[in-house]
Amino acid sequence: MTSEIPIFTRNSVAKAKQVVATPDEPADPEGGSGFAEWAMLTLHALRIEVGKSYRVTLDLLSEMPAVLDEIGLTRLPHYTVLRDWFETIPTETWRAFLGRRAEKRTGHAAIDSTGFDRNQPSRHYATRLHYRVRALKVTALVDVETLYITNIHSTTSKKSDQRIGPQVARRNAGDLRSLAADRGYDAKAFRDELREHGVRPLIKHRIYSSLDHAHNCMNSDDYNKRWMSETVFSSIKRTLGAAVRARSW
């Protein structure tokens, strides 16, 4: 029986190579010139899959020759190299990798946002580093059938959902058939843009008149799947925690 970790690694390697500029680069080039981008993406995917720290993840992988063979590595980077590399990879690459990992999409999605606290060792530490970020707002596009996250947007500002929603939906318009969202995304311009791309908007109307009540009743059954995005956020916070520890993202 084949272990699930090598299979996960094999799939991650294939997806990572699809989103980098040099997919044919060896995982560990001769001469010590550094590890291939797709190999580092795969290592990060494995770190998230096993749910361990950088140091522990690499210790575990060092005892898994079958996994290293799938990546094509004869050695592993130091855990600080993997950690520092995470801060340099462009967000666009992460989005593309996330999209490739979530290929089983039905086209019916929901968009929602949540907050993650900034977890810091002490107030003295934050003051010494002149670090003032207290929270991170994360907006996710979730397939309501498979619960795959197909795109994300993160910000430390108080940017309105009405501005973030179109930005996230626009990047995935070609894959969407319907999009559910709460009243925070209620905007005529957003609905019109979705319809122009052939996407059915399932966005709750703010109540200003009886007509708004009627609009909300018409879409109630399909809209109710929006809560699946909240299920995804709840699962993430239960398994990974409700706070972020990185100093940059």
Side-chain angles (χ1 to χ4, degrees):
M1 180 177 178
T2 305
S3 171
E4 292 184 1
I5 294 296
I7 295 175
F8 176 86
T9 305
R10 189 179 310 139
N11 291 335
S12 296
V13 167
K15 305 304 180 185
K17 286 185 175 182
Q18 294 176 13
V19 302
V20 299
T22 55
D24 297 328
E25 181 182 4
D28 183 9
E30 296 181 1
S33 59
F35 296 89
E37 188 177 28
W38 61 265
M40 298 295 272
L41 278 171
T42 303
L43 290 176
H44 275 291
L46 285 166
R47 178 183 65 84
I48 295 170
E49 177 69 11
V50 301
K52 302 295 183 181
S53 66
Y54 290 101
R55 187 196 296 265
V56 174
T57 297
L58 293 180
D59 284 345
L60 292 173
L61 292 179
S62 66
E63 303 297 330
M64 299 180 183
V67 172
L68 298 183
D69 288 343
E70 291 288 350
I71 307 175
L73 292 174
T74 57
R75 63 188 177 99
L76 286 167
H78 193 267
Y79 76 92
T80 57
V81 174
L82 187 63
R83 181 193 63 200
D84 294 342
W85 186 88
F86 179 79
E87 298 182 357
T88 63
I89 193 70
T91 303
E92 291 76 11
T93 302
W94 284 117
R95 288 199 185 105
F97 185 50
L98 186 65
R100 292 292 183 179
R101 292 291 304 163
E103 282 190 342
K104 296 179 180 179
R105 288 172 279 192
T106 63
H108 300 291
I111 187 171
D112 202 0
S113 62
T114 190
F116 288 88
D117 294 330
R118 168 70 177 99
N119 189 10
Q120 54 207 24
S122 67
R123 184 175 295 276
H124 171 73
Y125 175 81
T127 302
R128 183 163 55 87
L129 292 181
H130 305 290
Y131 199 87
R132 296 181 176 84
V133 174
R134 299 300 182 197
L136 180 70
K137 179 179 180 180
V138 176
T139 302
L141 188 69
V142 178
D143 189 292
V144 297
E145 300 294 339
T146 63
L147 299 189
Y148 284 152
I149 297 177
T150 58
N151 211 300
I152 59 170
H153 178 282
S154 60
T155 179
T156 57
S157 68
K158 297 181 180 179
K159 192 174 182 180
S160 169
D161 288 337
Q162 292 182 357
R163 296 176 59 190
I164 296 175
Q167 184 177 343
V168 174
R170 197 175 297 123
R171 290 196 294 259
N172 300 269
D175 299 320
L176 294 177
R177 297 166 60 189
S178 68
L179 180 64
D182 60 24
R183 290 183 177 90
Y185 299 87
D186 178 22
K188 183 179 183 301
F190 187 19
R191 289 190 179 87
D192 290 343
E193 182 176 349
L194 289 174
R195 292 189 180 101
E196 287 176 3
H197 289 93
V199 181
R200 181 189 178 194
L202 301 172
I203 305 172
K204 280 286 186 180
H205 289 252
R206 290 186 173 90
I207 304 300
Y208 297 113
S209 67
S210 57
L211 184 61
D212 293 324
H213 279 292
H215 281 303
N216 289 342
C217 290
M218 288 174 59
N219 295 329
S220 60
D221 291 340
D222 294 322
Y223 169 81
N224 287 338
K225 293 183 179 180
R226 187 198 67 81
W227 65 269
M228 300 303 288
S229 60
E230 298 178 4
T231 299
V232 170
F233 284 137
S234 176
S235 176
I236 291 174
K237 291 184 177 182
R238 286 199 312 271
T239 56
L240 301 177
V244 294
R245 296 172 178 81
R247 286 186 294 175
S248 62
W249 43 75

